[in-house]
Amino acid sequence: MVEMSSFGCYFSGNNIEHLPVNCWLQGAELAADEGRNAAALAACRTLAEELTELQFPAPRILAFKEGSSESRYFVSRLIPAHKDPPYKQEANFHSSKHLTTEQWTKLKSSFVHFDDPSFCEWIRNLKVVPPEKRRSCRRWDLNIDLLGVIEVDDMAGVEQRQNKSGGGKYFFCSGGKKKEVKKETGLGLSFTKDENFGEWYSEVVVNGEMIEYYDISGCYILRPWAISIWEIMQTFFDAEIKKMKVKNCYFPLFVSPGVLQKEKDHIEGFAPEVAWVTKSGESELEVPIAIRPTSETVMYPYYSKWIRGHRDLPLKLNQWCNVVRWEFSNPTPFIRSREFLWQEGHTAFATKEEADTEVLQILELYRCIYEEFLAIPVTKGRKSELETFAGGLYTTSVEAFIPNTGRGIQGATSHCLGQNFAKMFEINFENEKGEKGMVWQNSWAYSTRTIGVMVMVHGDDKGLVLPPKVAALQLIVIPVPYKDADTQGIFDACVATVATLSDAGIRAEADLRDNYSPGWKYSNWEMKGVPLRIEIGPRDLANNQVRAVRRDNGAKTDISRVFLVEQVKGMLDKIQQNLFDVAKQKRDACVEVLKTWEEFVTALGQKKLILAPWCDEEDVEKDVKARTKGDMGAAKSLCTPFEQPELPEGTKCFASGKPAKKWTYWGRSY
């Protein structure tokens, strides 16, 4: 007798009061193989029908050898969700977070547990013989056979049974004619980028090992695969700002209420998102303490202490830290989380000209991060008065765009704060003539949001697609030994290849795990987005070559080991450039230049990035927001690009009909 892997059935449909929820029926040790053991098959089908109360057709039952790749795959997918903590349930079943407490309790009560040892013993007593290798053991077929849910009006070979709750009709494949099959798109991906972008994104960042869900909503564990990207960007940016004589420091996480509320306009912009510490152990604090949403009010009382004369200027400080903003809208990993990592620079100058110059210098560094490292096209521009940083004089930003959702996303900001904070915190200095004056200040920041934008722009239905410049691993080497091949020779060649590439400064590793097939490894590293894969098999070993496969377009090239380093470096450069070119092409295809309100409404409905002439009046922008408010969110100004198209004399504002002053990008945004 051979031990088996887990047996499970997956139901998807309107199981509770017409709500789209997901349920699992999870077993302990797999039962039988169709056509190999009729008695065992019948017993398992009877059990399944009893447990499902005949609401659905019995699922197809498969058997696999313990430890096989197919078995491991099913075990990883068929988890007992009813036992998972809430954050894990939310991660795997996103629709569950829309249930009320009463509905969730009702759902959990319907789960069937298989913890009784007698059940496991009964399964073992069936003495099932595992099948020979079969076509349906391929990954695509497995997804259809067991996990693929079919939602149709009729299907040959499968009896229809109406869900008792009155929901739709849902069926499992059981050997009948397949029609309109919802199949998985890759190893562990259930959604496509085009069909369900939100669910696709949530799956990719988890299955690509970027994040793990935490037990506090809106907070996420950043795994090494994500942190390594952050560190690469940090290394670049930190070196560049040090060339500008910016010094790193660190200020405390906590803020006193008095200091936080000193700049009223500033704190009003953040007030709904401020988290407060109110207890110490079991004791209530006499005065609650805020957790920084940003650090202007934390740092500037000490700027007033440290700056006395013109010799103390400029003062340029930066800190790499975390901040907390208690978002109430839908939290999204990297994009909108309650705690995130960032750098924040805070500088003080004697003159406005110096401050203005630095604003643009920093903005150019942010453009470099997005375009040269993350391969994401961005637009540099200035925010409207309505979108300016609370308490600041003006705000500049780099703006990206997500074609799949038709939404802009603020990539990073560089603010000129003017003298407003200097006035509030009394940051004064004495110039060379002995005259008193107030400093001019800037603040600028980018965060781990950059990583989320990268995933959204480049990811595909196989998983992440990482630009080589920021990939923790630029290249993975995979041995492909065939039957009777020189396995040790192939493994040695893989190790030697990694050594050669590593010596040349390329971030490379070999996947020598012997418990996974080459095909499984291909899918695994594609999911993680490694830019280049090298395969070494018997033919490659004999011909002193390797086969290189690009992640961005799947192109395959045989490379002589003699020219390995030069060829690989060239391919990585081409991948980096191609990712940028493709992203720019997709973004530019979404840009709609228009001049009337009717055109604006049409383009907005088509998820376009809109460039329109505007009168630059705050009331008009507020009116645009009010007139476009809906389920998808209101439109807003994204930025006024520095590179302005020609504005012919007499051009009218698209929204008000007043004389236009500038071209501005508009659209929905994150």
Side-chain angles (χ1 to χ4, degrees), residues 302-314:
Y302 299 91
Y303 278 42
S304 67
K305 180 179 180 180
W306 298 336
I307 297 173
R308 287 289 181 264
H310 65 276
R311 294 182 181 84
D312 299 321
L313 295 172

Side-chain angles (χ1 to χ4, degrees), residues 43-247:
C44 288
R45 285 198 179 281
T46 299
L47 174 67
E49 289 183 356
E50 289 176 354
L51 293 171
T52 58
E53 298 179 348
L54 298 179
Q55 292 182 51
F56 300 92
R60 185 169 187 172
I61 300 170
L62 303 175
F64 305 103
K65 291 183 180 179
E66 184 184 30
S68 67
S69 59
E70 294 87 0
S71 168
R72 286 193 302 273
Y73 175 71
F74 276 111
V75 170
S76 69
R77 294 295 292 160
L78 298 179
I79 59 173
H82 56 283
K83 293 183 179 180
D84 285 342
Y87 71 92
K88 196 68 175 180
Q89 293 172 356
E90 180 181 328
N92 287 296
F93 306 106
H94 307 290
S95 55
S96 66
K97 57 189 173 186
H98 302 300
L99 299 177
T100 65
T101 302
E102 181 181 350
Q103 290 165 339
W104 184 237
T105 301
K106 184 176 179 181
L107 175 61
K108 290 183 71 174
S109 68
S110 69
F111 286 125
V112 179
H113 297 256
F114 289 105
D115 298 294
D116 191 339
S118 63
F119 173 80
C120 300
E121 186 61 29
W122 176 76
I123 290 291
R124 292 191 184 96
N125 289 337
L126 291 175
K127 299 184 183 302
V128 182
V129 178
E132 299 297 326
K133 187 176 178 74
R134 48 189 284 176
R135 290 182 60 192
S136 63
C137 287
R138 292 177 300 162
R139 184 183 64 203
W140 188 88
D141 284 334
L142 288 177
N143 295 334
I144 300 305
D145 287 341
L146 193 54
L147 294 178
V149 179
I150 299 176
E151 180 181 359
V152 295
D153 291 329
D154 64 356
M155 182 172 66
V158 178
E159 180 185 356
Q160 296 188 21
R161 295 190 178 102
Q162 180 70 31
N163 188 340
K164 290 182 179 179
S165 64
K169 299 173 182 177
Y170 293 81
F171 305 95
F172 286 89
C173 288
S174 61
K177 179 181 176 182
K178 298 178 176 66
K179 181 180 177 183
E180 297 183 27
V181 177
K182 176 181 180 290
K183 60 178 178 289
E184 294 200 354
T185 60
L187 187 63
L189 278 187
S190 305
F191 300 92
T192 65
K193 188 176 183 180
D194 291 335
E195 292 177 357
N196 194 328
F197 185 85
E199 299 286 6
W200 167 85
Y201 178 78
S202 296
E203 279 197 308
V204 166
V205 293
V206 172
N207 294 353
E209 298 183 11
M210 300 289 273
I211 65 115
E212 185 58 80
Y213 281 82
Y214 194 56
D215 62 354
I216 296 176
S217 179
C219 298
Y220 309 96
I221 299 167
L222 302 189
R223 300 184 64 179
W225 205 242
I227 287 295
S228 62
I229 296 173
W230 179 246
E231 288 175 338
I232 289 169
M233 294 187 291
Q234 182 182 25
T235 298
F236 161 76
F237 189 80
D238 199 62
E240 292 299 315
I241 61 175
K242 283 176 178 173
K243 293 176 185 177
M244 298 168 59
K245 308 302 181 185
V246 178
K247 294 180 172 62

Side-chain angles (χ1 to χ4, degrees), residues 475-480 490 493-498 500-501 532-549 556-565 567-568 571:
L475 183 148
I476 187 70
V477 180
I478 297 177
V480 190
I490 292 173
C494 290
V495 173
T497 299
V498 169
T500 299
L501 295 171
L532 194 61
R533 181 176 80 237
I534 281 184
E535 304 166 5
I536 301 179
R539 184 174 64 85
D540 303 303
L541 193 63
N543 295 333
N544 195 34
Q545 67 179 29
V546 301
R547 168 158 290 189
V549 183
K556 299 179 180 180
T557 307
D558 290 333
I559 302 175
S560 169
R561 291 173 62 86
V562 177
F563 306 107
L564 181 64
V565 171
Q567 293 268 20
V568 166
M571 293 184 78

Side-chain angles (χ1 to χ4, degrees), residues 261-279:
Q261 295 169 4
K262 195 165 187 177
E263 212 301 313
K264 293 183 179 179
D265 290 340
H266 176 68
I267 189 54
E268 283 179 4
F270 287 101
E273 301 173 353
V274 175
W276 294 87
V277 179
T278 59
K279 293 183 70 175

